[in-house]
Amino acid sequence: MSDHFPHVPRIEFEGPESDNPFAFRHYQADRLVEGKPMRDHLRFASCFWHTMRNGLADPFGDPTADMPWESGRRDPLDLIRVRLDAFFELLSKLSIGHWCFHDRDIAPEGSTPAESERLLDAAVAHAEGLQNATGIRTLWGTANLFSHPRYVHGAATSDSPEVFARAAAQVATAMEATQRLGGRGYVFWGGREGYSTLLNTDLAREQRHLARMLQLAATHADTIGFTGSLYIEPKPQEPTIHQYDFDAATCLAFLREHGLAGRFKLNIETNHATLAGHSMEHELQVAAAAGALGSIDANMGDEHAGWDTDRFPTDPMLATKVMLEVLAMGGFSDGGLNFDAKRRRGSFEPIDLVHAHVAGMDAFARGLLAAAAIRADGRFARARHERYAGWDSPLGRSIEDGTATLASLRDHARAAPEPTLTSSRQEVLESWMWRFI
Amino acid sequence: MSDHFPHVPRIEFEGPESDNPFAFRHYQADRLVEGKPMRDHLRFASCFWHTMRNGLADPFGDPTADMPWESGRRDPLDLIRVRLDAFFELLSKLSIGHWCFHDRDIAPEGSTPAESERLLDAAVAHAEGLQNATGIRTLWGTANLFSHPRYVHGAATSDSPEVFARAAAQVATAMEATQRLGGRGYVFWGGREGYSTLLNTDLAREQRHLARMLQLAATHADTIGFTGSLYIEPKPQEPTIHQYDFDAATCLAFLREHGLAGRFKLNIETNHATLAGHSMEHELQVAAAAGALGSIDANMGDEHAGWDTDRFPTDPMLATKVMLEVLAMGGFSDGGLNFDAKRRRGSFEPIDLVHAHVAGMDAFARGLLAAAAIRADGRFARARHERYAGWDSPLGRSIEDGTATLASLRDHARAAPEPTLTSSRQEVLESWMWRFI
Amino acid sequence: MSDHFPHVPRIEFEGPESDNPFAFRHYQADRLVEGKPMRDHLRFASCFWHTMRNGLADPFGDPTADMPWESGRRDPLDLIRVRLDAFFELLSKLSIGHWCFHDRDIAPEGSTPAESERLLDAAVAHAEGLQNATGIRTLWGTANLFSHPRYVHGAATSDSPEVFARAAAQVATAMEATQRLGGRGYVFWGGREGYSTLLNTDLAREQRHLARMLQLAATHADTIGFTGSLYIEPKPQEPTIHQYDFDAATCLAFLREHGLAGRFKLNIETNHATLAGHSMEHELQVAAAAGALGSIDANMGDEHAGWDTDRFPTDPMLATKVMLEVLAMGGFSDGGLNFDAKRRRGSFEPIDLVHAHVAGMDAFARGLLAAAAIRADGRFARARHERYAGWDSPLGRSIEDGTATLASLRDHARAAPEPTLTSSRQEVLESWMWRFI
Amino acid sequence: MSDHFPHVPRIEFEGPESDNPFAFRHYQADRLVEGKPMRDHLRFASCFWHTMRNGLADPFGDPTADMPWESGRRDPLDLIRVRLDAFFELLSKLSIGHWCFHDRDIAPEGSTPAESERLLDAAVAHAEGLQNATGIRTLWGTANLFSHPRYVHGAATSDSPEVFARAAAQVATAMEATQRLGGRGYVFWGGREGYSTLLNTDLAREQRHLARMLQLAATHADTIGFTGSLYIEPKPQEPTIHQYDFDAATCLAFLREHGLAGRFKLNIETNHATLAGHSMEHELQVAAAAGALGSIDANMGDEHAGWDTDRFPTDPMLATKVMLEVLAMGGFSDGGLNFDAKRRRGSFEPIDLVHAHVAGMDAFARGLLAAAAIRADGRFARARHERYAGWDSPLGRSIEDGTATLASLRDHARAAPEPTLTSSRQEVLESWMWRFI
């Protein structure tokens, strides 16, 4: 094992009262919750791009992050290995069992496709060794189809089919890398699949191209025997002014239109949900109602910022709402909680990587415990059940089963008294929620 | 004909230089544009609710609108008739050929369903006479399922099936009224079909109930022989915190999930589009790409207001973008441009109703002329065609027709040079647009 | 004492584990915190407008609130009294020690100014008796200068000086009523002091008129011997498209420009802060830094709604942040925590008034305890102190005391090594905050 | 003269019907408008940072801009010169008479302060020669106090006074460079002067430090005899979560608090105005009403993007509203219209720099002509005058001159009839505006 975080011990659980910054106050991997260990409920992953490759530059400033492990190294293979070493050391010390990556995070683009593939191959080989040594697994992989200038007008939705071909090549290779690393899933985030202006855009044709890419990818997965889940990840905008995968409902409309509904699930990210004008729990419920809730990018936005801030999710109330949905669907199958989160630009010391992950893990551990307590308490479930009890009456059933007609319902209404309604008690329910935090 | 706007003459076209506030400067009903009269391209409608029934109250203030025709009248039937008289007089003077209504706009709710039906019947009978006398037609009708306290928790999505039955009765009766008035369409706007909090909401069950209502309505239309179009109208929120028909894509996802995709089209409103985070042209293109662009609520929002302002659409650039989409789909079939717009609260004089409609009609006439000029010029179409020309190459066709695979495309990419891209020229295109205004 | 809430007992503290919906789980009026009873730290007030006069209508729907005490009453004086009776009964049962009102809440506008004054006089007389009987005090009063149609173009900023005069009359009378009731303060919320469009607005002249109203009010206070605090209340928009008192900084700019800075403090409302694009703690700090933090309207908005939702503040984290600022300034002088909050439209039962206030009071009690714990712990204060320690060095002092110049600092910088910076540890601080909830 | 834009001729006016992409359709530098040439009314400037140094990277992608003049060059001095050569060639061909710069745009930061100063000195010397050769002048200069990692926690508001000293050194040197280049002004944009979280921020102390920097800068200007205007530039957020110079009113509050009100004017940017929730004309009027409207950053945002897009201002209606305010204050003194605008990332060809500036210049020329036509027409001025005519009555005057009191106004109101109000005619006014485009 490398020693790039020399002063960081393995983080252990010490309980809520601990003042040790290198201890969990809530996360206890083996603790059973609803009969399953916390580690399996939460299935934490860290992402290579923010944790290892994000220098914390922003549109107005240069990188600030201190990454001593890179110091003095120039050779691409050397850098590939040292970053992976530091990353797996960090994850081991944090007891994080999974990771996620883009192809271009773990290996840089070469000057030719062949060189890019060679570099990626070396990275995968090194990662494989580290996975074997540590037991850490790949949650999902993906291809970066948005950073290179060739994707300026989109990847699958570029005006150039040559660019589509380059993107297709990257997807094929990234999926194979994911398979080789035993990845549980493969994600499509359409960072450039959208538009800057409709004045020059053939929206319908571009969306057909996007669907084609997904169809080809699904076929490729079958061909190579990749059995992990395939996901698309909604985001409303940024970098483009409008992205085709705006939110969960938009993705579902698209998947249904193009016959992809059973084949792709959704990877829902908190900050993307809120940028689209939804709460995270809304997006999770929309996906879950369609049987399409696959995996979660656990981060959070800033209430007053109109861009993707990817903050670490330090809010236990948010985590509670997320975990309620995860528990409601019976837990993750292939998915997990990926910290698609970056430290603030002012948190530039290596140790902040530790602090930020610990903060996120503790918030989610607290959220899991609160969610389980809410379920055990039963109050919310009972209140919801009672609220809709009328629908289990003969009238309700006749509507749900389709035997009523507008005319028969009109006859009913003409004869019936004014319906009796009860308060929806929102203030009480809001107050109840906070009992469990 | 009544004389409730005694100082208002019939508005005639006088040309762009006219200073007469009671003249059109751009709208010339008979002028042929692309071989069809302006009146048919634009198919203007005024809505009874804002024009006749909106006293211009807001959440912080009482009504301000001066409605002298109501003065001194108390009898419901008398009020029903005088409002319709004043409305048809106004539309006649404005040469607006269509109107839209909710059941509860033209007749108040009675103390029993039977009385409500009787009042509505009287209103429809009176409106029928006015339609015959003036040649004005019904663009679409709808039922108000959001104002009465019984709909506090939703109509089709209420927690009470008794409320669903009341809503069903209203829909049946309102659709029959629309049919009797020769309406070209019938609209569902789900003002209360959403939630205030997810803490007490069964989102999936409520959405199934909403789908059931639409299925029942479609069946009812078939049963009674109503051949007009059926529409749902997206809106992201307000009055509820989150509405199920958030935007066009969300509605399409919903219609596809519930087997309603061919049966319902969309009625797209500008201010709803912008509140959802989209441009109006985006929503129109999403609907049109799915063959579901039915009708348009022509208004506009305020860039910095987070609520529905329903301003009259006085902006010719907005109108140009709308009309480009309407012309692109070959014009309206059953749909039209309904001014779902209200005067500002400070524009409380009767004459402001005239000014506001004239402003909207002139803006759209200008927009139609600009859109036609853009199409005749051909520059935008050519630029778009050239932009995607690569997709008509063998490589592009192999992707579009599904003969390529990720593997074959990777082989291609490995051998091909770096793709050549060209500028998307957004600044030039934006500048071009303004040539036509 | 009246008995309009017959099944509601006096709410008592039962502790965090209580399941009694008619008990406080956190609010314990006599509990000492930093040596002062909770009741004095929090100084809760309920507002007459939302609690008694808000029927829960919204722009799309009729009132839903059930107000049985009004049932069958028509006589204005009778209604005035019964509402006040019910209100003081409710406050007594809730142990809320203060209330706030607009003139037109407690008494309706009459058909003449004289009649309005008579009605208000009767209301004040009745309220005086109830205050004496219960010990409940007036936190602040105000005049409603936004609901009547005459204020459609503004009150102090109307285009008509006759409207200014009417507003002036209301302010004089409302201030006298407040004085008679022993009010601790008087508030100006400029609901219509702004514009709908700049196309017809003389912004500078209107703002001078607004300043004049405040100057006259301050003089009137001196004349009548009203010694309570005067406040203005920022809000960015709604009902107007843009209000002159946009946010705390805008109010401070205005007060400074017009020589009113020492005379008026600010009444800061959470939902107004967030609509302006700020966090509540930001607005509180801006006001406090200027010595102008007077009083607080305790409510909360909805993260995804672009209008004023005035939700009851059920969030203890928000309350913690508020109470940290209140404690930091040494507590309220004349101000307090006024629940400028309304139940959701679906919470229409009388009992929801009880639940909603209990939820808000418990959240703030929890917030007060958390804030005190944070202060006792000292971690945040220490971290902040250490962060700025460099400013207590000779270099820092030379800048703060004005002895340094750009030239001398340039000389220093030329010779000094690159500054050493430390992480701002945001993730750790966020995580710490949740320890105290 | 260099030849880095070999195929670009000098752009000449050819009239609205021209199809020549290398011609102005509206901008005619010598055309007299209200007795002054267009060039003087508009006083266009281009900014070095976007035009020459913005590679069009975004947070999700690498630079795309093709900058052939940089090709093959590595030597810093060589790059400094060739960029300036290309820039002045471009401005000459575009007939743009002014430019703006940051110190670090025209010369990179060196490894020591001394080296940075040497590089800047070389850049200024070269720019001086180009200014002399072309007649192009400096509109304003500024120091980049936000890109370097040392400014991660702010510059004047850093937690470290050593950083303040570095910033002070940069300001002193950049102001001297601006003076040497005959700059008409010097700007402070506080890109990092704000916070990421209040949890670790001493807001009041940081703001005092910011005020100190401005005081020192004003003194330095006096010391060195720099007679240009000093400006601060409001922006609500980005890169920080909250910037101290949020909007015009916030800046005015700050300037007034710290005794800087007469010394600093505002540089107002369109996209910053809209991000703060204001229209551009609002911000201009707020600044103008305080006698503080100095200069303008002419760009525009995207209605649905929550970040600074800095689009070229291609919208003549926006330009009309801007120019109405500029004409209303009698034109710029030291200020001008600086295109603080960047091409879209997809407009990466050198020629797009030409197209984008031509589009912006033509939009503003059209705006100037429309604004002048509106003023000549007189309709808006008359309507506004008539609207407030009541304020010139005895009652109005008694309020404005302070002779009335609340009591005297109450007496007046008690005796006066209900005020008569007239419609504010917003729809008519909006429609009128479009006559002039």
Side-chain angles (χ1 to χ4, degrees), chain A residues 206 209 242 278 388 400 426, chain B residues 196 206 209 278 388 400:
Chain A
E206 289 199 358
H209 296 166
H242 204 291
H278 308 297
Y388 294 94
E400 288 198 340
Q426 183 168 337
Chain B
S196 177
E206 289 201 357
H209 295 167
H278 308 297
Y388 294 94
E400 289 198 340

Side-chain angles (χ1 to χ4, degrees), chain A residues 122-160:
Chain A
V124 171
H126 194 67
E128 225 175 349
L130 289 162
Q131 287 199 161
N132 290 339
T134 58
I136 292 168
R137 286 191 57 180
T138 296
L139 187 67
W140 48 260
T142 187
N144 178 326
L145 305 177
F146 46 88
S147 293
H148 193 281
R150 84 170 62 91
Y151 298 122
V152 62
H153 302 319
T157 62
S158 174
D159 57 340
S160 160

Side-chain angles (χ1 to χ4, degrees), chain D residues 68-339:
Chain D
W69 47 86
E70 294 199 1
S71 173
R73 295 178 204 265
R74 291 289 178 84
D75 177 64
L77 289 172
D78 195 18
L79 277 164
I80 284 170
R81 287 186 204 113
V82 76
R83 288 170 184 148
L84 282 165
D85 290 346
F87 185 61
F88 276 81
E89 178 193 340
L90 180 68
L91 267 57
S92 295
K93 288 180 168 174
L94 285 164
S95 300
I96 291 179
H98 288 76
W99 68 301
C100 299
F101 67 92
H102 296 86
D103 50 355
R104 296 299 181 251
D105 304 328
I106 55 174
E109 173 129 357
S111 55
T112 64
E115 191 191 344
S116 298
E117 291 179 27
R118 258 196 315 277
L119 289 165
L120 182 61
D121 198 62
V124 170
H126 195 68
E128 224 174 349
L130 289 162
Q131 287 199 161
N132 290 337
T134 58
I136 293 167
R137 287 191 57 180
T138 296
L139 187 66
W140 48 260
T142 187
N144 178 326
L145 304 177
F146 45 90
S147 294
H148 193 282
R150 86 170 61 92
Y151 298 121
V152 62
H153 302 319
T157 63
S158 175
D159 55 343
S160 162
E162 294 288 346
V163 171
F164 185 104
R166 287 280 180 134
Q170 262 187 262
V171 170
T173 302
M175 190 182 284
E176 291 159 14
T178 303
Q179 182 184 30
R180 188 166 149 202
L181 289 166
R184 293 176 180 269
Y186 185 88
V187 164
F188 287 83
W189 171 62
R192 301 273 172 207
E193 314 298 19
Y195 56 81
S196 177
T197 177
L198 281 172
L199 294 177
N200 58 15
T201 301
D202 187 335
L203 178 142
R205 195 174 194 182
E206 290 200 358
Q207 292 198 359
R208 286 196 301 273
H209 296 166
L210 181 56
R212 174 67 67 214
M213 180 65 85
L214 298 182
Q215 289 153 349
L216 295 179
T219 302
H220 193 73
D222 295 343
T223 304
I224 65 173
F226 176 67
T227 57
S229 292
L230 303 180
Y231 310 108
I232 59 176
E233 178 174 328
K235 188 179 180 185
Q237 60 173 177
E238 197 203 17
T240 71
I241 284 298
H242 204 289
Q243 286 182 221
Y244 294 132
D245 299 333
F246 192 82
D247 59 7
T250 304
C251 289
L252 292 172
F254 176 80
L255 293 173
R256 284 175 185 138
E257 180 182 2
H258 296 286
L260 296 162
R263 194 64 180 94
F264 283 79
K265 292 185 166 179
L266 304 184
N267 182 42
I268 305 286
E269 175 174 327
T270 316
N271 205 157
H272 296 179
T274 52
L275 285 171
H278 308 297
S279 66
M280 179 58 171
E281 55 270 30
H282 172 85
E283 286 292 88
L284 293 174
Q285 289 198 18
V286 168
L293 176 47
S295 198
I296 288 173
D297 271 10
N299 64 17
M300 64 183 192
D302 184 284
E303 194 181 346
H304 299 291
W307 65 91
D308 205 8
T309 59
D310 280 354
R311 290 166 65 196
F312 269 88
T314 59
D315 177 345
M317 178 53 98
L318 167 64
T320 301
K321 290 175 176 172
V322 170
M323 292 315 298
L324 278 169
E325 303 305 328
V326 172
L327 292 175
M329 73 162 181
F332 293 115
S333 53
D334 283 336
L337 292 169
N338 172 41
F339 290 116

Side-chain angles (χ1 to χ4, degrees), chain C residues 117 150 153 173 176 195-196 205-206 209 212 242 278 282 388 399-400 410 414 418 422 426, chain D residues 117 150 153 173 176 195-196 206 209 212 242 278 282 388 399-400 410 412 414 418 422 426:
Chain C
E117 290 178 29
R150 85 171 63 90
H153 302 319
T173 302
E176 291 159 15
Y195 55 81
S196 176
R205 196 173 191 182
E206 290 200 357
H209 295 166
R212 174 66 68 210
H242 204 290
H278 308 297
H282 172 84
Y388 294 94
I399 296 168
E400 289 198 339
R410 177 164 54 186
R414 280 170 176 159
E418 182 63 34
T422 53
Q426 183 168 337
Chain D
E117 291 179 27
R150 86 170 61 92
H153 302 319
T173 302
E176 291 159 14
Y195 56 81
S196 177
E206 290 200 358
H209 296 166
R212 174 67 67 214
H242 204 289
H278 308 297
H282 172 85
Y388 295 93
I399 296 168
E400 289 198 341
R410 176 162 55 183
H412 176 93
R414 281 170 177 160
E418 181 65 33
T422 52
Q426 183 168 338

